Amino acid sequence: MSEAKYPIKGACQCGQVTYELLAAPAMVAACHCRECQKLSTSAFSLTAFVDSKNIRFQGEMAEWKRPADSGNISAAKFCTNCGNRLYHYNPAEPDSIKLKPSTLEDTSILNPAIHIWTSEKQDWYQIPEGVKTCEKQP
């Protein structure tokens, strides 16, 4: 990750939900699972692992949940107006959120340290050399 000045502001597409990221994420990952491909409408989705005390949200969000392959619940918060997803979380782990970091104003910190679910990766996408990979969930 590049050096960034915190806090970094972020928002959904319409601006109804805004937030401030107060500290660097623990890690940024690129997930290639089919669910993340659907979410991002691309080859993968980026996720920044953030301690919930290091982020402050404002604005109305709705929630959607689904069971994950692990047996956990994957919950998502999104803007009630534009539908843009802001983050995911496991209700059993409230201190950790999975921020959808393309919503940040400064995306220079987005350098994935790991690519996961590469077993479902699109054949045409080439993972950069030297980056850690996992065929499924680590």
Side-chain angles (χ1 to χ4, degrees):
M1 289 184 268
S2 69
E3 285 298 313
K5 293 186 178 190
Y6 293 90
I8 299 175
K9 293 181 180 188
C12 64
Q13 286 182 296
C14 73
Q16 176 179 286
V17 178
T18 60
Y19 67 92
E20 286 187 318
L21 179 61
L22 306 175
M27 178 177 57
V28 175
C31 182
H32 296 263
C33 78
R34 291 290 298 139
E35 291 297 324
C36 281
Q37 289 177 34
K38 289 177 185 179
L39 165 66
S40 68
T41 70
S42 188
F44 57 86
S45 177
L46 293 177
T47 299
F49 295 85
V50 176
D51 189 316
S52 61
K53 73 176 185 240
N54 290 331
I55 195 162
R56 285 187 245 156
F57 289 95
Q58 293 183 326
E60 184 180 351
M61 289 187 275
E63 182 175 88
W64 178 76
K65 296 178 183 179
R66 70 172 177 83
D69 284 351
S70 64
N72 292 325
I73 297 297
S74 178
K77 293 284 192 170
F78 59 94
C79 175
T80 60
N81 187 51
C82 68
N84 197 182
R85 269 198 220 181
L86 282 293
Y87 68 94
H88 289 203
Y89 71 101
N90 176 351
E93 299 174 0
D95 293 336
S96 179
I97 68 165
K98 299 165 192 152
L99 180 68
K100 304 318 290 175
S102 59
T103 58
L104 288 164
E105 285 181 3
D106 178 3
T107 57
S108 66
I109 66 166
L110 304 183
N111 185 12
I114 188 171
H115 285 249
I116 61 174
W117 282 94
T118 58
S119 61
E120 297 183 5
K121 179 183 83 60
Q122 293 294 317
D123 290 338
W124 54 264
Y125 181 75
Q126 299 299 311
I127 295 172
E129 213 170 297
V131 177
K132 185 177 177 181
T133 62
C134 289
E135 285 194 9
K136 299 227 180 246
Q137 192 72 21

